Amino acid sequence: MTQPRQFVIEADGGSRGNPGPAGYGAVVIDPVTGETLAEAAEYIGVATNNVAEYKGLIAGLKAAKALVPDASADGALQVRVRMDSKLVVEQMSGRWKIKHPDMKPLAAEAARILPASAVTYEWIPREKNKHADRLANEAMDAGKRGKQWEPSASTASLDTPRSPAASALPPVSGPPGDAAAGAAKARAALASRPAAASPAAPQAGWGAAPDLGAPATFVLLRHGETALTPEKRFSGSGGGDPELSAAGRNQAECIARSLADRGTVEEIVSSPLRRCRETAAAVAARLGLEVRIEEGLRETDFGAWEGLTFAEVRERYGADLDAWLASAKVAPTGGGESFAEVARRVSATRDRLTTRYAGRTVLLVTHVTPIKTLVRLALGAPPEAMFRMELSAASVSAVAYYADGNASVRLLNDTSHLR
């Protein structure tokens, strides 16, 4: 009996804005020699990360199929797909239900390319998917210039050798969004094909003007409940460090499922306080991402008011409370932080993160005051606006930051995932 051909496919996709200008990359590798057998990449216009990732998977599967004439026959080909998208891996493995309408037809298309018995899926960390990630970024860069993707000079410096056939692939493209166009680059190693039309330039709209590029989008998640939350007690960074309650852990799981279904988050950054770290960990487990800790996202230090209710503070420190409510420059009793101090800390953190994550969608798991501060500053609202926002436990808000310094509030206090 003839042994099946064995390939490893590594695939990735990305979107600079989510949705925004998007592209995918895929590489077919010989698992024994590590040789690159084929590459596929394409700019696909405006799309989400998940759409781009699925299209990368489809292109990789088609590229592998093109290398084996009888690939559709049972036992002719065995493929191991490796991706850093937890969502795609879990959905294609059948462990997660596919709910999003954009994902269902893409998953169905991927499933039709090869027999189900021929394909297995494996999640890998992003740092182990650099080849496909580079191809996806090259495709997006080419699309930004209004051109089609071609193998770049950087391809020649890969750690793994490239086959002569793969090196000689001519640039072949198709309409934006046509995942088969990327696979044509692999098929070209077997039979020459003429180049088609170049992909269209990124679409302009409310999201991001082409000259500004995609914004850094912060999805702002308030942590789940602790024992202090339902009692409405001051709980900052100057007192204890409470863990999530049973209700809070359930809320964290709810938002984790919701964010996995949406599939837009690319990075996770958390306050160092335990309630945020636990909430972030629940989301990270679902998305297959790591959590970066950012000190600037910690809650206000409420000084002597830590652990007290508003009524108890009014009873014990009435004059101090009145002064605090009247001025953002006044700190709570006992040397806590004023809202003005918090605003300076949060602004500096915002600036660092918008630079680091330009064009990406990042989940910031933090607290009431930092989130309200980010929203207030984005709106250009005065400090007293802090007292006019409702922010529930495990709620989601969102702000987009553009290269020219402008910001756009996209969402505030969404709790639909908890219902």
Side-chain angles (χ1 to χ4, degrees):
M1 181 177 177
T2 304
Q3 292 295 316
R5 290 288 303 276
Q6 296 187 359
F7 295 144
V8 170
I9 295 173
E10 294 178 354
D12 198 12
S15 170
R16 294 170 179 172
N18 207 19
Y24 65 74
V27 56
V28 183
I29 301 168
D30 185 316
V32 177
T33 66
E35 181 182 12
T36 296
L37 303 176
E39 290 180 339
E42 194 72 21
Y43 169 72
I44 59 173
V46 175
T48 64
N49 285 318
N50 281 347
V51 167
E53 287 164 344
Y54 261 109
K55 287 184 178 292
L57 167 63
I58 290 167
L61 291 170
K62 289 184 175 181
K65 182 179 180 180
L67 297 174
V68 179
D70 59 345
S72 295
D74 285 337
L77 179 62
Q78 194 67 44
V79 171
R80 180 158 57 102
V81 176
R82 292 155 47 93
M83 299 182 69
D84 60 53
S85 170
K86 184 80 167 178
L87 180 77
V88 174
V89 167
E90 294 298 315
Q91 288 182 343
M92 291 303 299
S93 299
R95 291 185 289 268
W96 288 5
K97 185 176 180 180
I98 304 173
K99 299 179 181 179
H100 198 286
D102 291 346
M103 303 298 107
K104 290 181 179 179
L106 294 172
E109 182 180 357
R112 289 192 297 266
I113 296 170
L114 293 171
S117 60
V119 186
T120 59
Y121 291 87
E122 174 188 348
W123 177 83
I124 57 174
R126 177 169 294 165
E127 59 268 20
K128 293 186 178 180
N129 202 26
K130 291 181 179 179
H131 191 153
D133 178 71
R134 174 180 58 77
L135 293 175
N137 278 286
E138 286 179 0
M140 285 185 278
D141 291 342
K144 185 177 180 180
R145 298 190 298 269
K147 298 181 179 180
Q148 61 192 25
W149 174 83
E150 299 181 40
S152 69
S154 63
T155 303
S157 63
L158 293 173
D159 292 336
T160 55
R162 303 183 72 237
S163 68
S167 300
L169 296 181
V172 179
S173 182
D178 182 5
K185 296 178 178 66
R187 292 196 296 272
L190 304 175
S192 297
R193 293 172 58 107
S198 297
Q203 300 172 10
W206 288 104
D211 57 325
L212 296 180
T217 301
F218 291 172
V219 179
L220 308 172
L221 173 60
R222 185 189 172 194
H223 61 80
E225 288 187 7
T226 73
L228 301 180
T229 307
E231 298 180 4
K232 297 188 181 300
R233 295 183 179 276
F234 282 92
S235 182
S237 57
D241 191 7
E243 64 182 355
L244 293 179
S245 63
R249 289 191 292 273
N250 181 65
Q251 290 169 339
E253 289 300 326
C254 287
I255 186 58
R257 287 193 296 270
S258 176
L259 291 173
D261 287 342
R262 296 180 191 183
T264 54
V265 170
E266 301 171 272
E267 308 279 352
I268 301 176
V269 182
S270 173
S271 156
L273 298 185
R274 183 174 182 178
R275 51 198 182 271
C276 287
R277 288 188 285 107
E278 290 177 343
T279 303
V283 177
R286 282 273 183 176
L287 301 185
L289 298 175
E290 296 181 357
V291 178
R292 181 191 293 266
I293 300 300
E294 172 56 62
E295 284 288 333
L297 294 178
R298 59 182 170 79
E299 181 57 288
T300 307
D301 181 346
F302 290 112
W305 302 352
E306 295 278 358
L308 302 179
T309 65
F310 192 87
E312 289 169 341
V313 173
R314 168 70 69 191
E315 180 181 351
R316 301 181 194 182
Y317 309 103
D320 291 351
L321 180 62
D322 288 340
W324 180 72
L325 293 172
S327 173
K329 297 180 180 180
V330 174
T333 308
E337 287 180 289
S338 69
F339 281 158
E341 291 172 314
V342 173
R344 286 192 291 272
R345 165 165 59 85
V346 170
S347 295
T349 302
R350 174 202 61 197
D351 293 344
R352 286 197 306 275
L353 296 181
T354 52
T355 299
R356 181 185 302 161
Y357 298 114
R360 300 182 71 77
T361 298
V362 186
L363 180 69
L364 304 188
V365 187
T366 180
H367 309 263
V368 170
T369 309
I371 293 175
K372 286 186 175 183
T373 298
L374 288 168
V375 171
R376 176 183 77 77
L377 294 173
L379 293 172
E384 54 266 29
M386 299 277 287
F387 300 113
R388 297 172 185 170
M389 300 181 208
E390 176 67 24
L391 208 65
S392 305
S395 64
V396 174
S397 304
V399 181
Y401 297 90
Y402 295 92
D404 63 353
N406 285 317
S408 174
V409 176
R410 302 279 182 86
L411 190 68
L412 182 65
N413 197 40
D414 178 21
T415 57
S416 59
H417 49 277
L418 301 179
R419 296 194 288 271

